[in-house]
Amino acid sequence: AQSVTQLGSHVSVSEGALVLLRCNYSSSVPPYLFWYVQYPNQGLQLLLKYTTGATLVKGINGFEAEFKKSETSFHLTKPSAHMSDAAEYFCAVSDPRNSGYSTLTFGKGTMLLVSP
Amino acid sequence: EPEVTQTPSHQVTQMGQEVILRCVPISNHLYFYWYRQILGQKVEFLVSFYNNEISEKSEIFDDQFSVERPDGSNFTLKIRSTKLEDSAMYFCASREPRSNYGYTFGSGTRLTVV
């Protein structure tokens, strides 16, 4: 079974500061990894994903994440936070062997708060 | 950009009543899903649907739940007799056939059981 742990239910940063949202996973095989963002009253929007290849992946809105197999981590970063980044962020995994149905296993989410 | 549409955005229902949550997936997608998020908890998988049948379901998806695609465009989740603990945000998602990660989620239906 797969699981995802997101450290910190809330992370607060100042505008312009580095954003670091942590995600660790447990999986019997290297999983596919995802970060989703949820703005208020909106659905889950894919920020970025890792499936194979380069372990540093870039997503929308200046976010990136690095897959570190040895640390079973997929932390999300952004060099400089904007007020518009305030949202809830979810890390998720899926089993690449299960290509048919590909259910996602989510973490609990981290609310990013950005102050002026 | 194509969207997954969910209606209603909010629903309040009395305990024991039946509710139907509706979703219109993206037209060329073939895999459909329901997930839910109880306030303060993880987004949890409920059920996946492909080729007009359930392909996978979680232990949450008990006999009180059912899904169907009645008319080739809508995808519905029915809860027969709602309980207080069914209060959650319910997300519908669809996925294109050639990608095992190309999910598109709807904006969710917030269900409150009183």
Side-chain angles (χ1 to χ4, degrees):
Chain A
Q2 298 179 309
S3 66
V4 176
T5 302
Q6 290 183 242
L7 281 177
S9 58
H10 292 79
V11 170
S12 294
V13 300
S14 299
E15 196 173 18
L18 172 71
V19 175
L20 171 61
L21 304 182
R22 297 178 186 274
C23 172
N24 288 87
Y25 67 87
S26 172
S27 178
S28 55
V29 297
Y32 290 163
L33 295 152
F34 309 83
W35 276 98
Y36 283 86
V37 61
Q38 185 182 23
Y39 298 102
N41 301 315
Q42 295 189 28
L44 296 165
Q45 180 183 3
L46 182 66
L47 265 182
L48 50 78
K49 62 183 182 291
Y50 170 79
T51 54
T52 57
T55 56
L56 181 63
V57 292
K58 296 185 186 300
I60 61 172
N61 302 338
F63 285 93
E64 60 183 38
E66 186 170 12
F67 168 54
K68 292 188 176 181
K69 185 179 176 182
S70 60
E71 298 177 8
T72 60
S73 68
F74 191 57
H75 302 329
L76 181 70
T77 60
K78 181 173 180 177
S80 176
H82 294 164
M83 297 295 291
S84 60
D85 294 327
E88 189 154 24
Y89 292 80
F90 294 92
C91 183
V93 300
S94 72
D95 187 333
R97 298 170 298 181
N98 191 14
S99 60
Y101 312 124
S102 300
T103 57
L104 293 171
T105 300
F106 284 87
K108 277 194 173 184
T110 298
M111 184 66 74
L112 177 65
L113 306 168
V114 183
S115 55
Chain B
E1 189 170 330
E3 290 184 343
V4 174
T5 305
Q6 289 187 245
T7 55
S9 56
H10 294 87
Q11 179 147 3
V12 180
T13 188
Q14 290 201 325
M15 193 167 53
Q17 295 296 305
E18 174 184 287
V19 295
I20 297 176
L21 309 183
R22 301 181 192 279
C23 170
V24 179
I26 294 173
S27 60
N28 67 333
H29 286 190
L30 298 180
Y31 298 89
F32 312 110
Y33 305 82
W34 284 100
Y35 286 78
R36 79 171 185 189
Q37 184 186 22
I38 295 172
L39 190 64
Q41 298 187 24
K42 296 183 181 188
V43 177
E44 301 170 293
F45 167 72
L46 291 178
V47 65
S48 60
F49 191 85
Y50 170 71
N51 201 25
N52 287 318
E53 62 183 19
I54 290 174
S55 48
E56 189 177 356
K57 60 183 180 180
S58 71
E59 58 189 27
I60 302 168
F61 194 88
D62 61 23
D63 292 344
Q64 292 298 311
F65 292 89
S66 62
V67 290
E68 63 175 2
R69 192 160 157 76
D71 56 12
S73 62
N74 290 286
F75 178 52
T76 62
L77 174 69
K78 182 192 292 186
I79 309 175
R80 284 186 237 292
S81 177
T82 50
K83 309 185 206 51
L84 294 176
E85 54 265 37
D86 293 327
S87 296
M89 179 74 89
Y90 288 81
F91 292 105
C92 174
S94 66
R95 180 169 67 81
E96 59 188 284
R98 288 180 303 279
S99 168
N100 61 357
Y101 45 78
Y103 274 74
T104 302
F105 282 87
S107 55
T109 294
R110 179 162 297 287
L111 175 66
T112 302
V113 182
V114 298

